[in-house]
Amino acid sequence: MDNAESIVKFEHISVQFPSVLANDDVSLEIKKGEVFALVGENGAGKSTLMKVLYGMNEPVAGKVYIKGELITKYNPSEAIRLGVGMVHQHFMLVPSFTVAENIVMCKEPMKNGIFFDEKGACEIVENLVREYGLKVSPKDRIDRISVGLQQRVEILKTLYRGADILILDEPTAVLTPQETDELFDVIRRIVREKQMTVIIITHKLYEVMAISDRVGVMRRGKLVGVEQTKNVNERILASMMVGREVLLPKLERKKTSGEELINIKSLTVLDNRSLEAVKNLSLSVHAGEIVGIAGIEGNGQSELVEAITGLRQYKSGSITICGKDIKGMTPGKIRDIGVSHIPEDRMTTGVSLSASIEDNLISGKHKAEEFAVKGIHMKRKPIREYAKRLFEEFDIRSSSVEISAGSLSGGNMQKVVLAREISFENPVIIISQPTRGVDIGAMEFIHKLIIDERNKGCAILLVSADLDELFALSDRIVTIYEGRITGEFVNGEIDKSDIGYYMTNASKIDE
Amino acid sequence: MGEIFNVALLQNTLRTATPIVLAALGGLFTQHAGIMNIGMDGMILTGAFFAVLGSYFFASAAMGVLLAVLVGILIGLFFGVFVIRFKSDEFIIGVALNIFAGGLTVFLLRTIFGVKGAFSNPGIHPIPAINIPVIGSIPILGELLNNNTVFVYVSWILVAVTYLFIYKTPWGIRLRASGEAPHSLESAGVNPNLYKYLASILCGIFCGFAGAHLSLGYLTMFTEGMSASRGYIAFACVIFGMSNPPKVFLAALLFGFLDALGLRLQSLGVPSSLTSIIPYLMTIIMMVYVVIHKNKKELNI
Amino acid sequence: MKNKKIDWGYFLSLFISVFAALLVGAIIMLITGHDPISAYGETIKGAFGSPRVIGNTLAKSVTLCMTGIATAIGAYAGIFNVGGEGQLYLGGMASAIIGYTCYGLSPVIAIPLAFIAAMAAGAFYAYIPAVLKVKFKVDEVIVTVMMNSIAIYLCSYLANGPLKTSEKGIASGTPAIDPNFRFPSIIPNSSLTTTIFIAAVITILVWYLMRKTSQGFEMKITGQNSRFAFFSGMKSDKSAIWAMIISGAMCGIVGLFEVYATQGRFKPDLSNEFYFDGMLVAMIMRYNPIGIVFMSLFFGAMKVGASAMELNSGVSSELILVIQSIIIFFMAAERGITSTIKSRIAVKKQRMQLNAKLKEEA
């Protein structure tokens, strides 16, 4: 393998986005027939680099060679012509179309010169299925099949277009462990039998160890190292990724224990399709503790949080917060009884992008006497001063409090949300994905804030897809699978690899 | 009752439905391409004006239709540039387009023909009615289906053509993808905006047809604001018919029927200002029905 | 995007758009064989040439400003009220009914009554689409457009039928209102009446509501992101509905103005798409109330000047409508155009910097 010929070559690639240099002078060679893993933190520039290869990003400097050919025009059709296929993190499928239609789209079989050949398309798909062993049924609609199958459709799409270099961007983020294993089998098979080259982008280090031949590590737009996988281990990779030995500093926590502030009993919540997303779930959180919810995304976490914060009505069971039953309450009423909420989707729920930062900071307390005389006439000056104070307190970096929140970076926008929610000084805080899409510096700051609130005696419910984060912050960790609680642990009594079992195994329920 | 329900009523239904059918088929393209097109009213109005202009100056109905189509292409392109290229607000551009069309046609009416309000002249060549003896010989049905203007038949053919195009050709498939999941096209190396432009232009052409039918088939004259919110009604039909050509066609026929019913009631002495309300009221009911029906369905999955 | 500071880029775009639209107007005039300079000259003279026409210009501006602000407050809370024309008609009809049924009553009682009737009619008519939008997510644009037609036909039916005056020589319309109720004119022979003061007070009140109160704040946040507003504990549905009620009430008052200041009775041609003119103004000024006041003056002058232009230089006054909508097109595309230009410049700059850096290193 070491001497295999190079199939893709990046030379001094730099990619400029409006506010950041997303790739900074990256040079890398991918060899024919290998599985290459590209790892790095969020925003390290992995996807950016691979989108250069797929022609979706144009570098401001540097050269790309695919199979020896210098790329001059950056667009996907050029990449497809040279045999590159990419499965994006967010699938590029048309939900209402059939599997077959999605696979052949833009390279459709025809009949009578002008019509789409539906039967032909199905045959093509069946042939692909036979050839590569990726089972799908061509006539199913995409929005009716599982995410794992959708991913297969994406892979088949690239194969149909003749790809022999396959890029997979965070392919396992949405998969169950079984599906992940199946995917890895497929990758091994196509590399072995079809001599394909696979590049897999991930931030899960155990996957790197499991599947790859070589691994490249990116940090802040730069490629900081390329190694043979067999020569490294997860610890080494982790320290390369963050640029130092320790991932997260141990945060000092005071011993506190208080009364029960959140009590959930046999809660059932429906999702948008009226299916039960949360089933018969019971949970309690006390003052001065952080309870972390661990689970693969889409297992009812979002619906649970929405039910607690009033954004979604629940079907049965009860939620009691600070001794009050919240059934039928609006988010405003629940706020009033003492709940702050840092939502998972800050862009659509956490802020108003077009409102100024100061308006975002006072939303929810805009009727307080401090800002509005008799709750009516708003006073600009105290609002501005208040906003400026929060700016310093929460280290929000922006030229002014008057510009729109939409112009902030992810980390600063999240700090705006935290600043507003924490300054309510509510006894209960519900936090979802606090550091998603946030840079490392801001992440540390946010973690410290959360621990501080805990030490002050808040009851905190934390939902995160990031296990490291849960282990760093939680006092107790609860695992959730298909809307049910499958395990409950005191932090420190279980390790990361064991918890994965509870996040995926439903047999533990109802015992 | 017999005075209201007769063959003439059905014949009128076809006549009054046709402009809405044509426009709605156009609106169906933009709807599939993910563009909320409320500018159809303006497109119809300009189509109607230029059809009269072409017919009058070239002394030929065909030239009138041709001119209406050419202008339709231009307007579709114009609409597309703003909505697709500049990503302007679809509402604002749509509403502005309607106001623009209202102003432009009246301005041109005065400047070119020197009249206010309406222009009718024996020099305008109407679109002829077609006599198909085979159809004409069928009892009752023959009376209904024969001797309509060309566009009545054209609109039926277009329903089928549109259906085939949207669902059975690769371009139709991509056009739908451009609205539902534009990234799917992008990642396949195809620019989704090309298909959005195509939809916009097709909509312009179909609205051109609708306008031409209105001023050269339905009537033989142009009057200020003669589209009379038909573009909005057509939009409602697109929503009601869930962008599916045959269903949209049926929705438009329903409007035609109500319109024709209004005309019948008028002849029985009901004030025209009351009967004119029917289609507009029906549109609102339709819009509400669609949404409530959809909400119910979502809950029952 | 700035909150309180003046956005000069926006003003520049506005200026360029207006100028470009006037230029397009001039080109159209040249093509149709008219002299644009003299035509625009006539427009200015027709709008400001004498106290009487200045009065007319101001009167027109009052209508534009009221309808513009009515559009703005709906849009502010996220609902695009295209139905102002219908609300205006109903308001006019309701106030006219009060005006002739209270014939002989003291104006002190009758006029407030007329205001209440007009506002209630307009507000009710705006409330329907607002509720449909907020509760059922029914598209408000289509519904309000349809409601315009319904209101206009309905009023036309009433004015030609059950409520038709028995006076001779009036083809259609309700009986005349008590002349004592009519607003006195300020400049003789012009259409400027004391309504301008009422309009000014209403405008200031609505501006204050929108910009200075927590209720206005809630409307703004609702309009920008209703989910965030709900999440923040605001009653976003209520905000949106109230905005529409105010919008409809304002349109009703414009209808009242037409009856009590201009016509003296309800006639089926009460308004000549007055609401749409105001809506254009509001759209151009991106729903900024102060901006709407100034732009109303400009468009008021254009409208009034246009009839003089038509009379004296033969250019059809509808050209003004064309010019106005061209300004809208430019302004609606402005963000797209400027952002394209800006990002192009930015990428170019960065590329140059990067190349320079690379050269240095080499």
Side-chain angles (χ1 to χ4, degrees), chain C residues 65-66 69-70 73 202-203 206 245-255:
Chain C
C65 178
M66 286 284 287
I69 301 257
I73 190 161
I202 293 173
T203 301
V206 173
I245 286 177
I246 294 168
S247 175
M250 285 184 77
C251 294
I253 293 174
V254 177

Side-chain angles (χ1 to χ4, degrees), chain C residues 47 53-63 187 192 196 297 300-301 304:
Chain C
V53 291
I54 291 176
N56 289 344
T57 297
L58 285 174
K60 186 81 223 165
S61 307
V62 165
T63 313
I187 298 175
L192 183 68
I196 191 169
L297 287 171
V304 171

Side-chain angles (χ1 to χ4, degrees), chain C residues 70 73-75 77 79-83 87 122-131 140 144 219 238-250:
Chain C
I73 190 161
I79 302 189
F80 200 25
N81 181 12
V82 195
Q87 292 144 23
F124 169 73
Y125 213 53
Y127 176 78
I128 299 170
V131 168
E140 77 276 22
T144 49
M219 283 178 190
K238 232 172 147 183
S239 283
I241 290 175
W242 270 107
M244 274 298 272
I245 286 177
I246 294 168
S247 175
M250 285 184 77

Side-chain angles (χ1 to χ4, degrees), chain A residues 54 56 76-77 80 88 92-97 101 105-108 110 114-116 118 161 272-274, chain B residues 164-165 167-174 176-177 180-181 183-190 298-301:
Chain A
Y54 195 58
M56 289 181 104
S77 50
I80 292 168
H88 298 267
M92 305 277 183
L93 297 170
V94 190
S96 73
F97 285 14
E101 282 170 334
M105 195 170 71
C106 298
K107 194 184 163 190
E108 301 89 349
M110 306 280 276
I114 53 165
F115 290 113
F116 169 64
E118 236 173 299
R161 291 177 196 150
N272 290 341
R273 296 169 298 163
S274 297
Chain B
L164 289 175
F165 178 81
Y167 293 106
K168 301 290 173 193
T169 71
W171 307 286
I173 289 174
R174 294 180 198 177
R176 284 186 289 143
E180 196 180 334
H183 296 299
S184 67
L185 289 174
E186 236 167 274
S187 77
V190 172
E298 262 167 24
L299 284 175
N300 289 336
I301 282 181

